Amino acid sequence: MEDQKSISEWAISTFGEPESGFVLMEKLKEELYELAARINIYMNDPLRVNFRSVADEIADIVIMAYQICNRYGLDLHEVVDQKMAVNRKRKWNIIEPGIGKHKEE
């Protein structure tokens, strides 16, 4: 099973060491736009959606997040766990179903 280390090692051996974390962030933004395009197709024509392509774009986003974390010596799963501990303690305003913004503390 792949993990942050194996994916980051593969990326560096395949593409080389990125010059900066900004380069990785730009690629992450590109992957987010591609996911948005796939979801937009679904919203406009639910019968046309290709769930495999949606899953592939989500995977690309996670792969880029792994690389960014690796670049800065972070473990993605650890930082997600830490952030969720913070989120679970917060009070939330519901903006719309599925979307919230934490209340100022």
Side-chain angles (χ1 to χ4, degrees), residues 3 14 89:
D3 62 14
T14 303
K89 293 177 184 174

Side-chain angles (χ1 to χ4, degrees), residues 77-94:
H77 301 281
E78 286 179 17
V79 297
V80 167
D81 285 347
Q82 292 167 0
K83 182 62 178 181
M84 283 306 301
V86 171
N87 287 345
R88 290 182 188 284
K89 293 177 184 174
R90 287 183 160 155
K91 303 292 182 209
W92 295 89
N93 290 318
I94 305 303

Side-chain angles (χ1 to χ4, degrees), residues 2-4 62 66 69 74-82:
E2 297 280 3
D3 62 14
Q4 179 175 317
V62 173
Y66 276 149
C69 283
L74 303 168
D75 178 277
L76 180 63
H77 301 281
E78 286 179 17
V79 297
V80 167
D81 285 347
Q82 292 167 0

Side-chain angles (χ1 to χ4, degrees), residues 2-104:
E2 297 280 3
D3 62 14
Q4 179 175 317
K5 184 175 189 259
S6 68
I7 289 169
S8 296
E9 287 172 351
W10 168 83
I12 290 169
S13 70
T14 303
F15 308 116
E17 185 75 43
E19 291 183 25
S20 70
F22 185 77
V23 171
L24 297 171
M25 187 64 215
E26 287 298 309
K27 180 63 177 166
L28 175 61
K29 286 185 348 188
E30 180 183 314
E31 298 300 343
L32 287 166
Y33 288 127
E34 290 175 9
L35 176 61
R38 301 292 191 276
I39 290 173
N40 190 45
I41 290 169
Y42 173 72
M43 291 178 68
N44 291 313
D45 187 358
L47 298 177
R48 258 189 69 209
V49 71
N50 175 341
F51 287 106
R52 181 72 254 160
S53 70
V54 170
D56 287 346
E57 295 307 331
I58 292 169
D60 286 342
I61 290 165
V62 173
I63 289 166
M64 293 313 304
Y66 276 149
Q67 291 179 65
I68 293 168
C69 283
N70 191 67
R71 170 83 182 181
Y72 295 107
L74 303 168
D75 178 277
L76 180 63
H77 301 281
E78 286 179 17
V79 297
V80 167
D81 285 347
Q82 292 167 0
K83 182 62 178 181
M84 283 306 301
V86 171
N87 287 345
R88 290 182 188 284
K89 293 177 184 174
R90 287 183 160 155
K91 303 292 182 209
W92 295 89
N93 290 318
I94 305 303
I95 306 302
E96 61 181 86
I99 304 295
K101 180 169 176 52
H102 68 86
K103 295 179 180 180
E104 296 300 320

